[in-house]
Amino acid sequence: MCGIVGYIGAGKTTEVLLDSLGRLEYRGYDSAGIALVCEDGLEVIKSAERIVKLREKVPSTLYASVGIGHTRWATHGKPSKTNAHPHQDCSGRIAVVHNGIIENYQEIKRALEKRGHVFTSETDTEVISHLVEENYVDNTLRAILATVPKLQGSFAFALINKDDPGHIYAARKDSPLVIGLGEGQYFLASDVTAFLKYTKRAVFMEDGDIAILSKDGVTFTDFHGREIKRKERVIEWDLEAAEKAGYDHFMLKEIHEQPKSLKDVISGRLNELSGEVELGEIGLTQDEINGIRRVIIVACGTSYHAGLVGKYALEMLTDIPVTVEIGSEFRYSSSRVGPGTLIVALSQSGETADTAASVREAIKKGAHVVAITNTVGSTIARDAGNTIYMRSGPEIGVAATKTFTSQVTVMYMMAIFLGRRRGMITAEKARILLSELKSLPKYAQSVLDQDSNVANVARLYAKANLFLFVGRHLNYPIALEGALKLKEISYIFSEGFAAGELKHGPLALLTTGVPVVAIATRSPTYEKMTSNIKEIKARDASVIAVASESDESIAQLVDVVIRVPDASELISPVLSSIVLQLFAYHVAVCAGCPVDKPRNLAKSVTVE
Ligand code: M6R
């Protein structure tokens, strides 16, 4: 997804901008560019290739103390150098980088063209440069203030003006922007990873903010030009945490970080003595908890799968009906939401446009919204008001791994919390569940210790061109997630099914050797799963079973077994999901795929 950077200070501006853009590569992009205020005016350099190529185009002698940069992920107009940001006005005085979508850009563009403006790109962004140009007399801020009310949709933009060389201006509406505070130097980015190397002090812009960066500091106004104050925060992630730490890929590093991320997510939240989960972040009084009539979990992609696991857990431990909805569907069909509805918005990034829109929609309709996200200060966290942070640390690989298992863990904690508060589970039962949750990091580690076994299995099947994943009950969403993981990073067609659905269609896909990954750990549906495995074997397909350590009989039914520790019904799906992450990773490596940055995908999907 698009990334914005900006720098003002005495440092090497081009170096800082290019380095910061490199830190945003993980978001996915198709082109990149920078604009600098130089002695002779604005210098704009773009490339429709990777950032290394952009770097080659930047003369080493180029001096500037102010600049902005961008990585683009095409939404309006194809990926090309012309459509790459920054975009300029007719006079070449102004340069703009933008994330988001200006929904009324065609209308604005037509009007501007009638008034003589000449556009050079197909982007929606370019209207911002021309509008500011039109509104500019001698004060850039005033021109921006006159421009923003005309823009419909979402935007985060940064702007420089050659006639106002000492400033960067930035505006935010529904798309993230954060300022980095250094000593005599200031940074701007769509996420803190871009400038963490230089400073940990940050200010998150709010919707409706304009930031004015100069060498002397940063000031903020609202869209009416009234001065406002914003709080500084210290970011706890360091850059090292965002680097690979010796692993070949971020994804593998992140998979192996799960014992820690699982420990962090439960830390301080489980009280084994009282059998209570401390989740005050939910923001509900006891009366409100009693009044919950339904829970709707809203999410996309992997987060949606975590939501499905959450549904089973909530229904096992509470008396509340739960539905799970895909963000892009829910945002247009939320009429059943109202008082008594608890909306749980799951989003690792906290910036997924469809989930964010669903949250806004639900709030409008009077629902109580709780966000579960990994990103402090993200749009969804701030809009929801009530946020449970996953504390997973940065996840750079496009494929979600450690954030999935943390999301599931938060859903479990929420289910225990609500179950206790509504009197549906006893303190004794809760204590057992909490001690199981506490054992999760240790179990996760023993799954990871078998990484090389999983790699061997992956190598056996890496040449297949179709994979099926099957599971039942809590393991059904784990099958869906296993299939998503494999397809997104290895490009092999894979699909997940509820095992009971096989005979309603998917069995037709099975022929000799087609690999089927069956999650067959010990659980109340174990016997049913083994029947399904027999059905699959009767079609001569190959079965790779994920099974419990103590299950001696399964080996006779299947081709290959990958073991997970014997664990409870809630815990073992998390362990199986780690096996499937490793499996997908090793298949993708065998296939020579760019694991961390799969084609056509972005880490953070901030457009609809
Ligand atoms: O940031 P979010 O959790 O809201 O992201 C939702 C999906 O875009 C994301 O989970 C996506 O499916 C992952 N790349 C899958 O690995």
Side-chain angles (χ1 to χ4, degrees):
M1 198 55 48
C2 301
I4 288 177
V5 300
Y7 174 78
I8 187 160
K12 293 181 177 166
T13 304
T14 51
E15 197 44 49
V16 175
L17 291 177
L18 291 167
D19 178 61
S20 301
L21 285 177
R23 311 256 167 224
L24 295 182
E25 275 194 306
Y26 74 93
R27 297 162 68 99
Y29 70 106
D30 50 56
S31 51
I34 57 172
L36 304 152
V37 185
C38 300
E39 269 194 353
D40 304 335
L42 273 194
E43 188 76 42
V44 177
I45 305 165
K46 304 185 195 185
S47 164
E49 294 170 276
R50 310 302 289 175
I51 287 160
V52 278
K53 292 286 176 192
L54 177 67
R55 187 179 280 275
E56 284 168 15
K57 294 184 175 184
V58 178
S60 55
T61 48
L62 201 59
Y63 177 80
S65 56
V66 178
I68 54 177
H70 191 263
T71 48
R72 175 171 187 257
W73 193 73
T75 56
H76 291 75
K78 59 187 176 301
S80 68
K81 188 173 161 192
T82 321
N83 287 333
H85 300 210
H87 289 290
Q88 294 187 263
D89 64 327
C90 301
S91 69
R93 183 197 295 141
I94 285 158
V96 172
V97 291
H98 160 236
N99 286 357
I101 292 177
I102 307 298
E103 284 168 4
N104 58 338
Y105 85 101
Q106 276 171 318
E107 196 186 303
I108 299 177
K109 188 172 176 176
R110 272 195 298 273
L112 283 163
E113 280 173 337
K114 270 196 196 147
R115 298 199 290 271
H117 289 265
V118 179
F119 280 73
T120 56
S121 77
E122 302 162 281
T123 65
D124 51 339
T125 303
E126 201 182 332
V127 299
I128 304 174
S129 336
H130 291 278
L131 279 176
V132 173
E133 173 188 23
E134 208 167 61
N135 290 314
Y136 181 73
V137 181
D138 56 4
N139 184 310
T140 317
L141 177 60
R142 234 178 276 146
I144 292 172
L145 290 170
T147 298
V148 284
K150 301 200 168 86
L151 306 175
Q152 285 167 16
S154 62
F155 55 82
F157 70 79
L159 178 148
I160 51 177
N161 177 353
K162 92 169 166 56
D163 292 346
D164 180 3
H167 295 105
I168 299 176
Y169 297 86
R172 171 192 164 133
K173 180 176 168 259
D174 294 338
S175 193
L177 266 185
V178 55
I179 310 285
L181 309 172
E183 292 304 323
Q185 52 180 355
Y186 298 89
F187 307 82
L188 173 72
S190 24
D191 101 43
V192 291
T193 326
F195 58 67
L196 265 188
K197 175 175 166 188
Y198 306 100
T199 183
K200 292 185 175 203
R201 294 168 52 216
V203 179
F204 289 90
M205 289 176 67
E206 303 276 339
D207 277 345
D209 285 2
I210 292 177
I212 304 120
L213 288 75
S214 75
K215 275 185 191 166
D216 304 321
V218 183
T219 55
F220 296 90
T221 76
D222 63 15
F223 282 1
H224 302 287
R226 291 177 295 230
E227 203 178 320
I228 45 175
K229 298 271 174 235
R230 288 285 170 240
K231 248 203 196 148
E232 176 183 331
R233 296 189 197 198
V234 176
I235 304 298
E236 278 159 22
W237 295 354
D238 59 14
L239 198 59
E240 223 181 282
E243 286 173 352
K244 287 187 213 153
Y247 288 95
D248 287 345
H249 296 95
F250 283 113
M251 182 182 176
L252 187 61
K253 170 179 168 267
E254 287 153 9
I255 292 173
H256 278 270
E257 281 171 349
Q258 288 175 102
K260 176 166 186 324
S261 55
L262 290 168
K263 199 165 169 224
D264 289 345
V265 70
I266 57 176
S267 160
R269 287 174 167 155
L270 309 185
N271 187 337
E272 264 186 287
L273 222 61
S274 62
E276 300 292 346
V277 174
E278 318 284 350
L279 268 192
E281 300 103 303
I282 284 185
L284 289 167
T285 63
Q286 184 60 49
D287 279 351
E288 287 168 332
I289 290 173
N290 295 340
I292 299 173
R293 306 228 177 298
R294 64 186 308 214
V295 172
I296 304 178
I297 301 170
V298 188
C300 302
T302 288
S303 297
Y304 172 75
H305 297 152
L308 289 173
V309 180
K311 169 187 161 71
Y312 285 110
L314 279 162
E315 289 182 344
M316 283 162 76
L317 302 174
T318 75
D319 54 343
I320 314 170
V322 184
T323 50
V324 191
E325 311 241 3
I326 293 169
S328 53
E329 293 297 316
F330 176 82
R331 62 184 293 188
Y332 297 112
S333 61
S334 55
S335 51
R336 295 142 298 148
V337 175
T341 310
L342 172 63
I343 300 284
V344 179
L346 273 173
S347 174
Q348 175 282 128
S349 62
E351 300 295 349
T352 299
D354 287 317
T355 311
S358 303
V359 165
R360 287 195 289 271
E361 197 58 32
I363 289 172
K364 252 195 254 160
K365 297 208 152 96
H368 184 93
V369 180
V370 181
I372 299 174
T373 180
N374 193 33
T375 315
V376 178
S378 59
T379 304
I380 292 174
R382 283 178 298 107
D383 285 352
N386 311 289
T387 305
I388 305 172
Y389 286 110
M390 288 146 53
R391 306 172 182 162
S392 311
E395 189 175 71
I396 307 295
V398 165
T401 52
K402 60 177 176 173
T403 54
F404 173 73
T405 50
S406 290
Q407 283 173 332
V408 169
T409 306
V410 174
M411 289 309 309
Y412 285 172
M413 290 192 289
M414 186 183 281
I416 301 167
F417 173 85
L418 292 176
R420 282 290 292 133
R421 291 295 184 89
R422 286 171 71 101
M424 296 305 294
I425 49 172
T426 61
E428 203 186 343
K429 163 91 176 154
R431 271 187 218 110
I432 297 169
L433 294 168
L434 299 190
S435 106
E436 287 171 0
L437 280 181
K438 280 206 166 158
S439 63
L440 195 44
K442 182 186 77 198
Y443 283 144
Q445 186 56 57
S446 59
V447 173
L448 293 166
D449 290 345
Q450 313 180 52
D451 189 358
S452 56
N453 285 345
V454 182
N456 288 339
V457 177
R459 274 192 279 276
L460 288 178
Y461 291 93
K463 291 214 158 48
N465 48 25
L466 162 70
F467 276 87
L468 266 50
F469 288 72
V470 293
R472 279 173 175 266
H473 198 244
L474 283 156
N475 287 324
Y476 161 49
I478 301 299
L480 296 180
E481 175 58 10
L484 173 62
K485 219 76 307 171
L486 184 64
K487 78 175 76 135
E488 73 174 325
I489 60 168
S490 72
Y491 315 148
I492 298 173
F493 187 85
S494 36
E495 222 40 79
F497 299 98
E501 277 292 290
L502 281 176
K503 60 175 83 64
H504 301 289
L507 276 188
L509 293 169
L510 298 185
T511 52
T512 307
V514 169
V516 181
V517 179
I519 305 154
T521 45
R522 293 226 190 270
S523 76
T525 56
Y526 175 77
E527 306 299 335
K528 299 281 174 205
M529 264 315 290
T530 52
S531 304
N532 292 129
I533 287 172
K534 287 175 193 158
E535 258 169 21
I536 299 164
K537 283 307 297 173
R539 273 78 189 173
D540 287 333
S542 289
V543 175
I544 305 160
V546 180
S548 305
E549 214 150 60
S550 65
D551 183 355
E552 284 169 11
S553 54
I554 194 134
Q556 290 134 35
L557 296 180
V558 303
D559 298 81
V560 179
V561 187
I562 303 173
R563 302 282 175 183
V564 293
D566 288 346
S568 70
E569 196 184 356
L570 287 180
I571 300 304
S572 96
V574 181
L575 306 180
S576 300
S577 75
I578 298 175
V579 168
L580 301 189
Q581 293 167 358
L582 287 171
F583 182 76
Y585 171 79
H586 290 296
V587 170
V589 168
C590 288
C593 295
V595 172
D596 286 330
K597 290 177 197 147
R599 68 184 176 209
N600 305 335
L601 296 180
K603 181 68 182 166
S604 178
V605 185
T606 54
V607 290
E608 185 171 2

